[in-house]
Amino acid sequence: MNTCIDPAQHLLGQGPLVSRERLWQSLMDLARLGATTKGGVCRLALTDLDRQARDLFVHWCEQAGCKVTVDAIGNIFARRPGRDPALPPVMTGSHIDTQPTGGKFDGCYGVMAGLEVIRTLNDLDLSTEAPLEVVVWTNEEGSRFAPCMMGSGVFAGKFGLQETLDKVDGQGLSVGAELQRIGYAGSRVPTGHAVGAYFEAHIEQGPVLEDQRTTIGVVQGCLGQKWFDLVLTGIEAHAGPTPMHLRKDALVGAAQVVTAVNRVAHAHQPHACGTVGCLDLHPGSRNVIPGQVKMTIDLRHLHPDHLAAMVAEVREAIETSAAEHGLSFELTPTADFPPLYFAEQCVDAVRQGARQLGLKHMDIVSGAGHDAIFLAGLGPTGMIFVPCEGGISHNEIENAAPQDLADGCDVLLRALFQAANQGAR
Ligand SMILES: [Zn+2]
């Protein structure tokens, strides 16, 4: 094995090194687990399908010579040793759980790209000074269990282990019990794991790169997010005998809130988003005035002051609407992520990698949450975006071009290799 860094650096300057076909095949093999008829994937966190996908990842990593460990929240770490075992690992990864109508690439790309980097380094017989680790983070999507980014959140000490293990899904099944059931309640303590650097490759999940005909998004940071559950309560009553002026119609109040969320997000451009994604009304009968509405509110912005102002304006709209329609309300925060800017040396490493490979690249901001947000609190962190077709994600038709995925993986290889040899520290 070559212990001199320079020739290796030289080799990395040569051009593309990862195998496009192998990366694509791994993604397609993984996508078979939970494949939907519309070409997507339904693989919710901690289900039997998630276990099968985890088992496949572990198998591939062991084949690639990695040592695999699992922590108490089910995060999987596949380590490729470095020349100096005392150095903190340079890490990469993402998630392999999906939305109920998810695609083949969201999250899975980051994990398979990390594995492809390990396989490529093995093929080239290249070692690194620091160990490399590819990680699968538990329940990034937050679809079955809230909050999202659960595994990386516990790892980063943002969520307590026991309170997270106690979270339940819609059926009342807990994270802890489901981890035990699928065999991924590991023995490792999730916190206190040093991070030399962390890079995450991901499909953009938006339309900007495709629109700009650009292969690599050099991610500057992530929008802050504030999520809420809102319950508006009025009185259900007969749709005929109850005069309009005596109604306490929760849905009419909710409609005003939905409009306010949209208006507030438009008013705080650029980099503002506001969405009501779930709305349940009770009792849901054609001749009954809705007595209760439960809805979710998702607000995002790149600047903390704007985000705080958006929350205040939406809250005011809820109070106004409730007063106007005689409703009571309960607004409960369910997630809170401040805006984040990635470490300059990691952002530069991604940009340099793209430049070395002659790939068209641009600075970009992530509107979605990613595990990288939590990792950024533990060590220098960066992200690489590649285009996805039509900017569509969290959808069964989610798609990406094999060449773009391979290009992003080649950038990841360079970023990881550089950080693990020189230290992006
Ligand atoms: Zn994702």
Side-chain angles (χ1 to χ4, degrees), residues 262-269 272 306 313:
N262 190 268
R263 171 173 43 77
V264 165
H266 275 290
H268 285 271
Q269 293 302 317
H306 276 281
E313 287 166 34

Side-chain angles (χ1 to χ4, degrees), residues 47-261:
T47 56
D48 287 338
L49 287 166
D50 187 15
R51 174 178 51 76
Q52 288 172 32
R54 286 163 172 264
D55 289 350
L56 184 59
F57 170 73
V58 168
H59 171 68
W60 280 336
C61 291
E62 285 174 346
Q63 268 188 338
C66 295
K67 185 174 184 299
V68 177
T69 54
V70 180
D71 72 13
I73 194 66
N75 297 320
I76 308 171
F77 304 82
R79 177 183 283 231
R80 183 180 192 261
R83 291 187 294 271
D84 183 352
L87 285 175
V90 169
M91 300 167 70
T92 186
S94 197
H95 59 97
I96 56 174
D97 66 317
T98 75
Q99 291 286 331
T101 53
K104 304 183 190 80
F105 305 97
D106 174 7
C108 297
Y109 170 54
V111 176
M112 292 302 106
L115 177 62
E116 178 56 33
V117 167
I118 301 279
R119 287 168 165 171
T120 302
L121 291 175
N122 288 349
D123 291 349
L124 297 169
D125 199 19
L126 283 178
S127 67
T128 53
E129 195 65 23
L132 291 177
E133 273 186 13
V134 184
V135 192
V136 167
W137 303 111
T138 293
N139 183 32
E140 190 273 349
E141 294 291 2
S143 184
R144 181 180 175 200
F145 300 98
C148 59
M149 292 147 60
M150 183 175 267
S152 53
V154 172
F155 180 81
K158 301 284 182 186
F159 307 142
L161 175 61
Q162 194 54 51
E163 69 181 80
T164 306
L165 291 172
D166 290 343
K167 299 277 183 197
V168 291
D169 67 3
Q171 316 298 315
L173 296 168
S174 73
V175 168
E178 287 295 88
L179 275 171
Q180 291 283 355
R181 189 184 66 79
I182 67 166
Y184 278 89
S187 55
R188 223 171 111 163
V189 177
T191 48
H193 180 107
V195 178
Y198 178 79
F199 289 93
E200 183 168 345
H202 209 284
I203 56 168
E204 182 199 344
Q205 302 185 283
V208 177
L209 291 175
E210 188 182 73
D211 182 61
Q212 299 292 311
R213 296 178 191 283
T214 299
T215 310
I216 301 296
V218 181
V219 187
Q220 309 293 298
C222 297
L223 301 185
Q225 304 184 38
K226 284 185 188 283
W227 292 8
F228 300 90
D229 282 344
L230 173 64
V231 182
L232 285 162
T233 307
I235 294 178
E236 55 251 44
H238 200 302
T242 318
M244 296 307 285
H245 70 286
L246 293 179
R247 294 179 178 210
K248 293 181 175 179
D249 187 330
L251 183 58
V252 176
Q256 252 171 261
V257 175
V258 173
T259 308
V261 167

Side-chain angles (χ1 to χ4, degrees), residues 346-388:
C346 293
V347 174
D348 284 347
V350 173
R351 193 181 288 118
Q352 273 172 31
R355 208 173 272 156
Q356 280 170 10
L357 287 155
L359 297 168
K360 198 174 169 197
H361 56 280
M362 65 180 284
D363 290 354
I364 195 165
V365 166
S366 173
H370 295 290
D371 295 304
I373 291 176
F374 284 143
L375 269 293
L378 300 176
T381 293
M383 284 192 81
I384 302 159
F385 276 178
V386 296
C388 55

